[in-house]
Amino acid sequence: MMKLQLTLDGENAALETGRFPDGAVWARLLPPLRQQAETLTLRATAMRNMDDLMLLAQVMDAVRQRYTLRLTTLELPWLPYARQDRSMRDGDSFALKVFAGFLNQLRFDRVTVLDPHSDVVAGVVNNLSVIPQHQCLQHSDNLSQKLGDGLMLMAPDAGALKKTDLLARHIGASEYGILGKHRDLASGALSGFELLKGNVAGRDVLIVDDLCDAGGTFIGSAAVLRQAGARSVSLYVTHGLFSKGVDHLLTQGIDFIWTTDSIADPSVASQRVEIIDTETIFRSKSKGAAHAI
């Protein structure tokens, strides 16, 4: 369920949302209402669908009816439709572009997104500001310490290679590994997992990616890494959908999981799953922006 957090001139403002009997959603500001406001920040955590976008639009309409805003910022821990960043087959829609078209009509001065799935986002979302992957995971002290102690980075496929390289440069890692796989576009079936680069024998390995859905990529990757002699295999994903649950991963080769609460249910946290609070990530970003100004 989406969580909306509104601040006006740096102070929290209360909201109420609901759904009419016919299924239409509604949103409104709650008293006490400020006399004036110039800056707005609206965070929409775990936005999933067009009903959530409609709630977002209604909040912005309610605020703009009352105040003349000078600066508006939308914070999106998770960007819906980011995985549909192109037309993969004849007859497909470009869903990300469609969604971005609606979002752009809300006229935010800045849209800040955590670790988006694709660089295509920058071409379709207006006034985009990105918090990269390495800035997200550094907010886990536990993970940062393990990386400092030599936890080996592993890109699960070619799509994750660019981000893994940037992360390695950021933490000063002298090496990282690369895995390969094949995905059938028609069925989505995965096959052909292989270790393309990196000696993992006796090493603790961290697979790094932006998101996990069912987890097939990471289960297949863990099997290959263990066959190559890895001592342990852990996983970091910024966005944990976990559509088959975290136990699906933890019982099939993954020793530990780090993710944020951008879309993951915080209740999945356990001795083997750490949830990184996106509040700390956005707060750090805001402080950095203020310092830059």
Side-chain angles (χ1 to χ4, degrees):
M1 182 176 181
M2 181 178 69
K3 176 183 177 183
L4 288 173
Q5 182 179 341
L6 173 66
T7 60
L8 296 170
D9 290 346
E11 296 185 2
N12 290 335
L15 299 171
E16 185 178 20
T17 63
R19 190 180 294 274
F20 291 111
D22 67 354
V25 296
W26 56 265
R28 68 186 182 101
L29 305 178
L30 290 177
L33 299 176
R34 299 171 59 88
Q35 292 301 309
Q36 60 184 14
E38 292 188 346
T39 64
L40 169 148
T41 299
L42 182 58
R43 184 180 307 155
T45 302
M47 176 186 281
R48 290 180 180 270
N49 52 45
M50 297 306 289
D51 275 354
D52 289 344
L53 181 64
M54 188 62 182
L55 286 173
L56 191 74
Q58 289 185 55
V59 170
M60 291 305 300
D61 179 68
V63 174
R64 284 187 166 123
Q65 285 191 49
R66 184 173 181 87
Y67 306 113
T68 301
L69 299 170
R70 177 177 56 84
L71 179 64
T72 58
T73 300
L74 173 64
E75 296 177 341
L76 282 179
W78 163 254
L79 178 66
Y81 301 97
R83 301 168 72 186
Q84 297 168 266
D85 59 357
R86 68 200 70 190
S87 299
M88 299 295 293
R89 298 168 297 179
D90 188 31
D92 281 353
S93 69
F94 186 178
L96 173 60
K97 184 177 180 181
V98 174
F99 175 80
F102 289 117
L103 187 65
N104 292 337
Q105 291 182 46
L106 300 182
R107 308 187 322 275
F108 285 100
D109 298 302
R110 182 187 299 120
V111 178
T112 303
V113 177
L114 294 190
D115 191 13
H117 180 62
S118 168
D119 290 340
V120 174
V121 172
V124 296
V125 175
N126 293 344
N127 305 319
L128 181 70
S129 174
V130 169
I131 300 179
Q133 187 176 89
H134 67 263
Q135 289 184 11
C136 296
L137 64 79
Q138 72 181 11
H139 288 277
S140 167
D141 293 337
N142 178 28
L143 180 51
S144 295
Q145 180 178 341
K146 289 183 180 297
L147 288 169
D149 291 340
L151 185 62
M152 183 179 181
L153 298 176
M154 183 66 57
D157 50 38
L161 184 55
K162 180 179 178 181
K163 291 182 180 180
T164 304
D165 184 73
L166 288 172
L167 173 58
R169 293 173 185 271
H170 179 74
I171 67 174
S174 59
E175 61 175 336
Y176 58 85
I178 305 172
L179 290 157
K181 68 179 181 185
H182 172 72
R183 183 188 296 274
D184 185 287
L185 294 180
S187 67
L190 300 171
S191 62
F193 289 96
E194 58 180 328
L195 180 60
L196 302 177
K197 173 188 173 184
N199 180 9
V200 301
R203 302 287 298 276
D204 296 311
V205 179
L206 178 70
I207 303 172
V208 182
D209 209 348
D210 60 292
L211 68 92
C212 173
D213 191 341
T217 291
F218 308 116
I219 292 169
S221 297
V224 168
L225 292 170
R226 291 187 182 279
Q227 290 170 7
R231 182 169 57 187
S232 69
V233 180
S234 297
L235 173 68
Y236 169 85
V237 289
T238 305
H239 311 292
L241 294 166
F242 304 130
S243 58
K244 292 189 176 182
V246 293
D247 286 343
H248 183 65
L249 293 155
L250 297 174
T251 59
Q252 297 192 76
I254 300 298
D255 294 296
F256 198 94
I257 298 171
W258 287 271
T259 190
T260 76
D261 60 1
S262 67
I263 193 71
D265 186 340
S267 68
V268 304
S270 69
Q271 290 184 341
R272 296 174 63 190
V273 180
E274 179 182 335
I275 304 294
I276 302 170
D277 186 1
T278 51
E279 170 68 25
T280 63
I281 299 173
F282 280 108
R283 189 187 309 127
S284 177
K285 172 72 173 179
S286 297
K287 289 179 179 179
H291 180 73
I293 292 173

